Amino acid sequence: MFLHSVNLWNLAFYALMVFMATLGLWDVFFGFEENKCSMSYMFEYPEYQKIELPKKLAKRYPAYELYLYGEGSYAEEHKVLPLTGIPVLFLPGNAGSYKQVRSIGSIALRKAEDIDFKYHFDFFSVNFNEELVALYGGSLQKQTKFVHECIKTILKLYKGQEFAPKSVAIIGHSMGGLVARALLTLKNFKQDLINLLITQATPHVAPVMPLDRFITDFYMTVNNYWILNARHINLTTLSVAGGFRDYQVRSGLTFLPKLSHHTSALSVVSSAVPKTWVSTDHLSIVWCKQLQLTTIRAFFDLIDADTKQITQNPKKKLSVLNHHFIRHPAKHFEENPSIISDLTGTSMWVPVKVSKWTYVAYNESDKIYFTFPLANHRKIYTHVYCQSTMLDTNSWIFGCINSTSMCRQGVDLSWKAELLPTIKSLTLRLQDYPSLSHLVVYVPSIHGSKFVVDCEFFKKETRSIQLPVTHLFSFGLSSRKVILNTSGLFYNIELLNFGQIYQAFKVNVVSKCSGVKEEITSIYKLHIPWSYEDSLTIAQVPSSTEISVKLHIAQPENDSHVALLKMYTSSDCQYEVTVKTSFSQILGQVVRFHGGALPAYVISSILLAYGGQLYSLFSTGHCLEYAAMLDKEAKPYKVDPFVIMVKFLLGYKWFKEFWDMLLLPELDAIVLTSQSMCFPLVSLILFLFGTCTAYWGGLLSSTSVRLLSSLWLTLKRPSELPKDMKIISPDLPILTVVLIIVSWATCGAFAILLTYLYYVFKIVHLQASLTTFKNSQTVNPKHSRRSEKKSNHHKDSPVYQLRLSASDAEDSLRMHSTVINLLTWIVLLSMPSLIYWLKNLRYYFKLNPDPCKPLAFILIPTMAVLGNTYTASIKSRLPR
């Protein structure tokens, strides 16, 4: 019956929309690299020692706890307090466990053992009872206040120690990072209590799903405070995102706002982090061994040797974080590195005058310095590029000042190098170093190992190649390509006209090599200059390698940089680079960035269909099928102009004040525009997806009602059509009052669910009655004709009691089915509050604060009346 009301063209359209949505969803949930994170293991059995909190505090927060992590002998020794290490507090996120601290805690313990516990960290973790704070914002403020008390409790554990800490470092996963930032908004919080904040996959910009006003208010409070007080916030903060593998929190939400006067904040994607170079999903970011090793190395480099605690010097903190998370020069961190190095000792000095040079070192017995005179090269070339496959941390490249063939001292250029997975490389612009007379490459004496050093001088224009990307609407049917014919070691492919989040491409790199007997490794690095979201692809050449190219952050309006594909190549190979639009990845970007707005479009389509049914009922006396009305009424031009008008009016202060006075949420279009995410077609695409979802949801709802009515008829005797159609039945006010009391005393979402179940029961009963009536009509048609005449006779009389005919019952069922579709979405969106309430029922009988309570007070009486309303009663009030 539902499908019969839709013509084949519309059905084909809905099937096409499902196909497109499936492509987008597949790209979000499966269209990424495999998980390359190594699992971090505990070498000894992990133990979580519960820290006893003050009785008043434990009574105020009965669901929360504080733990100290330990293993083996460390855990045994620290069961007797006080402590002597450096405190670090781990804050789990949405539905997160306090036990997630074990990965980083165990690695830190192993590192401390390696240095004989000269320094060590004490890792604490908060148990938030695995609350769904990303979906229900009512407990975020409570968590923030509890963390403040935990920090004070932790610092008391070190009282009386020689090097007692005055602050703690915080690692916050997911929403735990936002809670840590919210600490600064507390009135009695001292900023000096936190010396470092590292957040992992934390949505700082906006909530992933703003399901209630408590989440949006909390975000507004935190972000406004950090923006307005940026000059006074000296807390060094690092935000690490998971990349495209993290489909729960897209990386664009994790980037802290860039403020000119707030330079102590860094944001980076894990795929760009040196020595990590992998994308992580939302959970693996806390146990990914590569990332946790990088984090612990940074922690140990942050220690002040005098205080044996994390340094209070903000410049050093930022230098350490830049060294480990942004650009690693393949050297151990030094706070004040020596720029001038001695180049003395019994070493060979070998001059090199060619522009391109390769040296294969194997079992070298003597140290060798290769010198490159720069005077002649400056006349021909603009840059010099060197790379080495020896990934030790010693200095390897220097610059000599005013030297002839050898120099006693040189400028250590190794600090300007960049570490990559298989090489360390350095690119210098010669005009930036006019005082250097020679470039010196150092090859140490080695035994049993082999490495290769390459250097070449080149002109910039020969290694920078422009490649305009294909148009958005080419749908992958056209492509553009460049061929790298020269035998260089390094190329920059400039991806022109690429800077928007809705652009997505597939770049295919085909390498062909001649005379190569062993495998050669090439590295392709996508470099985004306006944000730290680089990604690396390692290829064994000759090969064909496909690279996905899309953005987490759109290019700022005032930024003129160009996205680059940096290619670290082999001089023995030829490379062909092809770029074409990826339609499936474009759809994936739409879902990734705008999927949270889909429920609003679904509900708007359902409301348009419901409005069409009401108009049909008032004008013709009959109600059309939900699917037919959806085809007729759900049109984008009925929604978008209104949104554009409201968006325009919200630019005026008086209208914005009026909007806020009505407690209406911020318009989605304004939020998208502020995040540089709004482009013209997204509203149309989302509306089509929303209409499609509303259609298939209606089909599922209609099928479910029919199945439940069939089950009802098998369990109970056949029902009759309602004879008395009073809108207000005697038991209705009592039921309404009871549900409102339930909403007030317990949880609004629970009362909404009960109302929904009551409404479903009414519709199932009506469907069963209609089915019974039709079956009896088929069996005894004469009786049914007499009943129909009798019903018509009653209707013709001046005073009659309304009776429900089969056609009226069908019309009523169609109207109620649409309401059920709408109510289903309301119930689904209120589920997080219900789950939170059920999970904390042993602590609190009443949910406070309750975002669904105002809605429940309106919805319960409305649904009670609608559930007892039939189209016959409406038509009886229409003018004849």
Side-chain angles (χ1 to χ4, degrees), residues 415-577:
W415 291 102
K416 298 186 180 296
E418 180 183 13
L419 178 66
L420 294 168
T422 58
I423 59 172
K424 52 186 178 184
S425 68
L426 173 69
T427 304
L428 297 177
R429 190 168 68 163
L430 295 177
Q431 71 178 50
D432 292 340
Y433 301 90
S435 61
L436 296 185
S437 60
H438 287 73
L439 188 71
V440 179
V441 175
Y442 171 62
V443 176
S445 60
I446 55 172
H447 301 282
S449 59
K450 178 182 177 181
F451 68 95
V452 181
V453 184
D454 298 276
C455 283
E456 65 174 350
F457 292 85
F458 62 89
K459 289 183 179 180
K460 181 184 178 182
E461 55 268 23
T462 63
R463 301 301 169 85
S464 296
I465 302 169
Q466 294 184 340
L467 178 60
V469 297
T470 49
H471 195 269
L472 180 69
F473 297 109
S474 63
F475 300 108
L477 300 176
S478 63
S479 62
R480 289 174 179 158
K481 69 178 179 180
V482 294
I483 297 175
L484 312 181
N485 287 316
T486 58
S487 56
L489 298 171
F490 173 77
Y491 294 91
N492 275 332
I493 308 294
E494 298 180 1
L495 302 175
L496 302 181
N497 309 318
F498 173 52
Q500 301 300 323
I501 56 101
Y502 51 83
Q503 292 177 294
F505 307 95
K506 286 181 180 177
V507 173
N508 193 47
V509 182
V510 178
S511 55
K512 299 175 182 178
C513 307
S514 58
V516 177
K517 296 181 180 179
E518 58 184 23
E519 280 192 343
I520 302 174
T521 301
S522 291
I523 300 173
Y524 313 132
K525 178 180 180 180
L526 178 64
H527 174 61
I528 309 301
W530 55 83
S531 65
Y532 297 118
E533 54 176 283
D534 297 0
S535 59
L536 279 78
T537 302
I538 302 173
Q540 301 295 332
V541 296
S543 63
S544 176
T545 306
E546 187 175 272
I547 306 169
S548 293
V549 176
K550 49 196 173 188
L551 295 172
H552 297 291
I553 298 287
Q555 185 174 16
E557 291 182 3
N558 57 351
D559 194 298
S560 59
H561 291 95
V562 179
L564 299 175
L565 179 63
K566 293 187 173 186
M567 300 181 62
Y568 301 86
T569 57
S570 169
S571 58
D572 298 319
C573 301
Q574 178 181 308
Y575 296 81
E576 182 182 281
V577 182

Side-chain angles (χ1 to χ4, degrees), residues 69-272:
Y69 177 80
E71 295 177 18
S73 58
Y74 171 88
E76 289 296 323
E77 291 172 7
H78 289 81
K79 284 182 179 179
V80 180
L81 303 174
L83 304 173
T84 58
I86 303 168
V88 180
L89 179 60
F90 175 81
L91 303 180
N94 178 57
S97 169
Y98 66 95
K99 294 183 179 180
Q100 289 174 312
V101 73
R102 63 183 176 270
S103 295
I104 193 165
S106 182
I107 292 173
L109 191 57
R110 300 285 84 78
K111 177 76 172 176
E113 287 177 350
D114 291 342
I115 59 174
D116 296 324
F117 283 93
K118 179 181 179 182
Y119 310 112
H120 75 273
F121 289 88
D122 300 318
F123 275 83
F124 297 86
S125 184
V126 174
N127 178 17
F128 285 134
N129 196 31
E130 300 184 10
E131 292 177 340
L132 296 172
V133 286
L135 304 176
Y136 167 73
S139 62
L140 284 168
Q141 192 66 25
K142 184 167 60 175
Q143 286 191 1
T144 305
K145 292 178 179 179
F146 180 74
V147 171
H148 183 201
E149 298 298 330
C150 285
I151 292 172
K152 293 189 285 187
T153 301
I154 288 169
L155 293 177
K156 288 178 183 177
L157 300 176
Y158 295 86
K159 267 192 173 180
Q161 298 302 306
E162 183 181 358
F163 299 101
K166 298 178 181 178
S167 57
V168 302
I170 294 181
I171 299 176
H173 173 238
S174 188
M175 294 298 286
L178 187 71
V179 168
R181 287 180 63 217
L183 286 167
L184 275 63
T185 66
L186 299 178
K187 290 182 179 179
N188 56 345
F189 184 80
K190 297 178 181 178
Q191 192 183 136
D192 296 339
L193 291 177
I194 308 176
N195 53 47
L196 177 69
L197 172 59
I198 295 178
T199 66
Q200 299 173 336
T202 296
H204 291 293
V205 177
V208 177
M209 286 290 288
L211 294 180
D212 64 60
R213 63 183 179 86
F214 300 114
I215 294 180
T216 54
D217 289 350
F218 189 81
Y219 264 91
M220 193 175 296
T221 301
V222 174
N223 287 330
N224 285 348
Y225 181 89
W226 277 65
I227 291 170
L228 295 174
N229 297 276
R231 295 182 185 277
H232 311 292
I233 295 175
N234 55 9
L235 173 60
T236 304
T237 308
L238 171 70
S239 175
V240 183
F244 287 108
R245 278 194 63 86
D246 189 351
Y247 52 79
Q248 294 185 44
V249 176
R250 61 177 179 82
S251 297
L253 291 177
T254 67
F255 278 64
L256 293 160
K258 289 183 178 179
L259 302 172
S260 58
H261 44 270
H262 186 208
T263 57
S264 58
L266 290 174
S267 302
V268 63
V269 179
S270 61
S271 59

Side-chain angles (χ1 to χ4, degrees), residues 597-618:
L598 186 63
Y601 285 90
V602 176
I603 290 172
S604 66
S605 294
I606 296 173
L607 287 173
L608 286 172
Y610 189 63
Q613 286 180 323
L614 287 174
Y615 179 78
S616 173
L617 181 64
F618 291 145

Side-chain angles (χ1 to χ4, degrees), residues 14 49-50 64 128 150 263 267 320 337 523 545 628 659 683 748 828:
Y14 290 133
Q49 180 184 348
K50 187 176 178 180
Y64 300 161
F128 285 134
C150 285
T263 57
S267 302
V320 170
I523 300 173
T545 306
W659 186 272
S683 183
L828 288 175

